[in-house]
């Protein structure tokens, strides 16, 4: 929509409030609202003021004034507000220079697409994330100087198979057996369908929904691929809808990568392809029907994956999922159909339009604007420098002999290690001023100070089990 069309849309739908949504540095939607009378055509250029010093990783208090600039193309009716509310996704700008803010993740993703176009390689980068999540019935956690615990529960949890539920009907998916029995074992079918219906009403095209592998309400809803920035917008709306529909039924949805011990975590397999002038560029006569360009794109991602991990898997909890020998694809290899490789080439169809690579290690705790931009920049570095991805590995990587596995590079084992890799390898992200040195160093320092060190300073409950009697 244009600004004029947004105003007409608001009038037609009797809108009374306008909700300005924007994303903070770590990846959480923020918002404030203004009465519809405050929204004018000029607002889409002049924006609205707010305090940037209160947003994580952004401005100092002595330079806190900032602007949100609403994007008219993102206008929808918020599906959860009691009063008719127009929702607008915004960029961030400096109130004096009116320049867009270099630490605004959405602006970074827009610069990545501008850089792609400037190279002449392609004009569109399609992304299709498969964000998994859990839906719990009860969530409790606390940390004090002398105690720390968490407790999550679900009516589906296999640990409740012996609980007195008056009656307990016994249909609870066992660990790693949630993919995907019908109801009554799957209790979330109608809940996920309502989520899909709201997504479609908001303009998100959905391809499928289903229970995922883990017990306790793990699910997945697959969106159809979209251009990079649009997909990042959609993923934030996707999370917003899932969390609010869950809350409507007194449940809690989380995109935390590893909330349960002993069962699968939540990943976000991310499909990618490049197009130019409406034609796909990843189809060809090379391995698995790929083009040489696609193989170079894969080579760039494999080369930079240890650094990318700090952005695509940006929490300390991410590395409870990325553990060698378990379900996550930590081995930096590519393969057709093989889900144990870090990058898979889906083989469901041989249509040139469907040729893509699927990067399997990201998780849904990431900031999608930063993650998608970083993956694109790594792939473009591979194309520009003709990086050879090596030979594909079509074996089950978990069954390789130790000496054979030793030659396969692996993802970092911790957020701290990933941040070290990003600090050492980030020149590819600086091309076209997509990521700035300031933005990357702010990210690295924020993660070290507020997450890595914060966790390192605190005793873990399991340490008492292992060490108290020493």
């Amino acid at each position: 929509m244009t600004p004029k069309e947004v105003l007409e849309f608001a009038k037609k739908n009797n809108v009374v409030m306008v909700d300005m949504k924007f994303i903070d540095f770590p990846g959480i939607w923020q918002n404030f609202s203004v009465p519809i009378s405050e929204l004018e055509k000029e607002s889409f250029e002049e924006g609205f003021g707010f305090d940037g010093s209160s947003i994580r990783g952004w401005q100092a208090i002595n330079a806190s004034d900032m602007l949100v600039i609403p994007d008219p193309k993102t206008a929808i009716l918020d599906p959860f507000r009691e009063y008719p509310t127009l929702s607008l996704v915004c960029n961030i700008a400096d109130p004096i220079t009116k320049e867009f803010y270099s630490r605004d993740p959405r602006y970074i993703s827009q610069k990545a697409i501008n850089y792609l176009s400037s190279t002449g390689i392609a004009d569109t980068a399609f992304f299709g994330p498969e964000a998994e999540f859990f839906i719990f019935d009860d969530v409790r956690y606390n940390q004090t100087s002398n105690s720390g615990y968490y407790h999550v529960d679900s009516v589906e949890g296999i640990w409740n198979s012996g609980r007195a539920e008056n009656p307990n009907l016994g249909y609870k998916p066992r660990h790693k057996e949630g993919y995907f029995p019908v109801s009554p074992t799957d209790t979330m079918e109608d809940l996920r369908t309502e989520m899909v219906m709201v997504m479609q009403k908001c303009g998100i095209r959905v391809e499928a929904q289903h229970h995922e592998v883990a017990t306790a309400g793990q699910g997945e809803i697959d969106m159809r691929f979209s251009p990079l920035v649009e997909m990042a917008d959609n993923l934030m709306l996707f999370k917003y809808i899932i969390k609010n529909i869950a809350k409507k039924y007194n449940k809690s949805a989380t995109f935390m990568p590893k909330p349960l011990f002993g069962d699968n975590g939540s990943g976000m397999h991310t499909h990618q392809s490049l197009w130019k002038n409406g034609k796909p560029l990843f189809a060809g006569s090379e391995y698995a029907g790929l083009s040489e360009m696609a193989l170079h794109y894969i080579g760039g991602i494999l080369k930079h994956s240890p650094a990318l991990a700090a952005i695509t898997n940006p929490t300390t909890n991410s590395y409870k999922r990325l553990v060698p020998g378990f379900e996550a694809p930590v081995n930096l290899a590519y393969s057709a159909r093989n889900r144990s490789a870090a990058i898979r080439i889906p083989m469901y169809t041989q249509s040139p339009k469907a040729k893509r690579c699927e990067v399997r290690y990201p998780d849904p705790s990431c900031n999608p604007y930063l993650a998608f931009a970083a993956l694109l920049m790594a792939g473009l570095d591979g194309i520009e420098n003709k990086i050879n991805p090596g030979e594909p590995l079509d074996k089950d990587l978990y069954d390789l002999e130790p000496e054979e596995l030793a030659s396969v590079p692996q993802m970092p084992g911790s957020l701290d290690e990933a941040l070290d890799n990003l600090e050492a390898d980030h020149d590819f992200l600086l091309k076209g001023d997509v990521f700035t040195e300031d933005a990357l160093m702010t990210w690295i320092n924020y993660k070290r100070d507020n997450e890595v060190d914060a966790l390192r300073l605190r005793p873990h409950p399991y340490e008492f089990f292992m060490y108290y009697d020493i």
Side-chain angles (χ1 to χ4, degrees):
M1 284 191 244
T2 64
K4 180 182 177 182
E5 290 170 337
V6 171
L7 294 173
E8 292 171 350
F9 175 79
K11 184 176 181 180
K12 178 181 177 181
N13 289 278
N14 300 313
V15 164
V16 298
M17 294 294 290
V18 184
D19 193 47
M20 308 291 177
K21 294 183 174 72
F22 61 97
I23 195 162
D24 69 4
F25 215 34
I28 303 295
W29 249 359
Q30 309 294 315
N31 79 305
F32 64 88
S33 298
V34 301
I36 187 62
S37 58
E38 296 299 307
L39 185 69
E40 301 173 342
K41 187 177 179 181
E42 293 73 23
S43 303
F44 294 92
E45 294 183 2
E46 297 176 358
F48 297 85
F50 75 103
D51 176 8
S53 68
S54 297
I55 305 300
R56 295 178 296 175
W58 279 8
Q59 293 293 84
I61 193 139
N62 62 313
S64 59
D65 288 355
M66 304 190 80
L67 295 175
V68 295
I69 308 295
D71 184 343
K73 296 189 298 294
T74 65
I76 60 168
L77 290 179
D78 191 299
F80 301 108
R81 301 283 70 85
E82 180 178 353
Y83 300 99
T85 299
L86 180 70
S87 173
L88 291 167
V89 179
C90 305
N91 279 62
I92 308 302
D94 184 282
I96 299 173
T97 65
K98 295 297 177 72
E99 293 180 355
F100 285 123
Y101 185 42
S102 64
R103 294 185 195 173
D104 175 13
R106 192 168 192 264
Y107 180 47
I108 289 171
S109 71
Q110 291 165 334
K111 288 192 290 181
I113 293 303
N114 291 338
Y115 177 73
L116 170 66
S117 296
S118 75
T119 65
I121 292 171
D123 53 37
T124 306
F126 283 115
F127 277 72
E130 300 173 352
E132 298 166 344
F133 54 92
F134 280 88
I135 298 174
F136 294 127
D137 293 295
D138 187 51
V139 184
R140 290 177 280 130
Y141 50 87
N142 196 20
Q143 178 74 53
T144 67
S145 62
N146 68 321
S147 68
Y149 75 94
Y150 69 89
H151 176 90
V152 297
D153 203 5
S154 166
V155 68
E156 279 194 5
I158 187 60
W159 54 83
N160 285 323
S161 61
R163 183 173 67 176
E165 295 181 348
N166 302 313
N168 187 325
L169 301 180
Y171 294 106
K172 302 183 191 300
R174 290 174 287 273
H175 289 301
K176 300 183 182 293
E177 294 187 22
Y179 189 90
F180 24 56
V182 298
S183 61
T185 302
D186 178 3
T187 68
M188 305 288 180
E189 177 75 29
D190 288 340
L191 189 64
R192 292 192 306 270
T193 294
E194 183 170 342
M195 293 169 178
V196 170
M197 299 302 287
V198 175
M199 289 177 192
Q200 291 176 328
K201 186 177 179 180
C202 292
I204 296 175
R205 184 171 175 183
V206 175
E207 293 186 329
Q209 62 95 343
H210 57 82
H211 204 288
E212 255 300 336
V213 173
T215 188
Q218 190 183 34
E220 178 177 310
I221 299 174
D222 296 333
M223 295 178 283
R224 185 172 177 80
F225 63 87
S226 294
L228 187 153
V229 178
E230 179 183 325
M231 179 50 77
D233 288 343
N234 284 348
L235 184 55
M236 295 310 300
L237 181 56
F238 171 96
K239 288 185 172 186
Y240 181 69
I241 290 169
I242 287 174
K243 290 179 180 179
N244 278 281
I245 293 293
K247 183 177 180 292
K248 176 181 174 181
Y249 292 96
N250 207 30
K251 295 179 182 289
S252 178
T254 181
F255 291 88
M256 185 177 176
K258 189 73 172 179
L260 297 181
F261 166 69
D263 213 334
N264 284 33
S266 290
M268 191 180 75
H269 307 149
T270 305
H271 299 254
Q272 299 158 61
S273 64
L274 297 182
W275 291 52
K276 187 174 184 179
N277 298 325
K279 296 181 180 180
L281 302 179
F282 275 13
S285 58
E286 303 294 327
Y287 173 78
L290 293 177
S291 64
E292 185 178 51
M293 177 187 291
L295 289 175
H296 290 153
Y297 188 96
I298 289 170
I301 290 179
L302 290 175
K303 175 183 177 180
H304 296 298
S305 286
L308 290 171
I311 298 173
T312 60
N313 303 82
T315 68
T316 59
N317 184 254
S318 298
Y319 299 86
K320 303 294 193 294
R321 170 181 169 263
L322 291 180
V323 178
F326 291 88
E327 80 275 6
V330 299
N331 299 295
L332 293 175
Y334 72 103
S335 175
R337 305 176 68 179
N338 190 344
R339 284 175 162 79
S340 63
I343 298 180
R344 183 176 76 97
I345 296 89
M347 301 296 288
Y348 298 120
T349 173
Q350 296 308 302
S351 168
K353 293 182 178 180
K355 279 300 170 186
R356 62 197 188 274
C357 68
E358 175 195 27
V359 183
R360 294 179 61 80
Y361 56 74
D363 69 57
S365 69
C366 70
N367 184 321
Y369 299 99
L370 300 180
F372 297 166
L375 286 164
L376 175 62
M377 295 301 289
L380 290 177
D381 187 62
I383 294 171
E384 291 166 335
N385 292 292
K386 300 187 184 304
I387 297 174
N388 189 329
E391 293 299 314
L393 285 179
D394 290 329
K395 302 176 183 178
D396 185 340
L397 299 184
Y398 300 128
D399 289 338
L400 291 180
E401 294 298 324
E403 60 272 16
E404 193 175 3
L405 186 60
S407 65
V408 181
Q410 293 191 336
M411 290 289 286
S414 68
L415 178 57
D416 203 14
E417 184 184 344
L419 292 167
D420 287 344
N421 279 297
L422 179 59
E423 191 167 31
D425 174 27
H426 61 260
D427 285 350
F428 68 100
L429 296 172
L430 300 176
K431 293 179 181 178
D433 200 37
V434 173
F435 288 79
T436 63
E437 193 80 32
D438 168 72
L440 288 170
M441 290 305 106
T442 300
W443 177 266
I444 290 168
N445 293 332
Y446 178 89
K447 288 287 175 178
R448 283 177 175 159
D449 293 346
N450 294 281
E451 298 178 33
V452 173
D453 288 347
L455 187 68
R456 193 154 42 197
L457 287 167
R458 288 165 170 80
H460 190 286
Y462 197 64
E463 290 177 320
F464 282 81
F465 179 85
M466 294 190 293
Y467 306 130
Y468 187 76
D469 58 349
I470 289 176

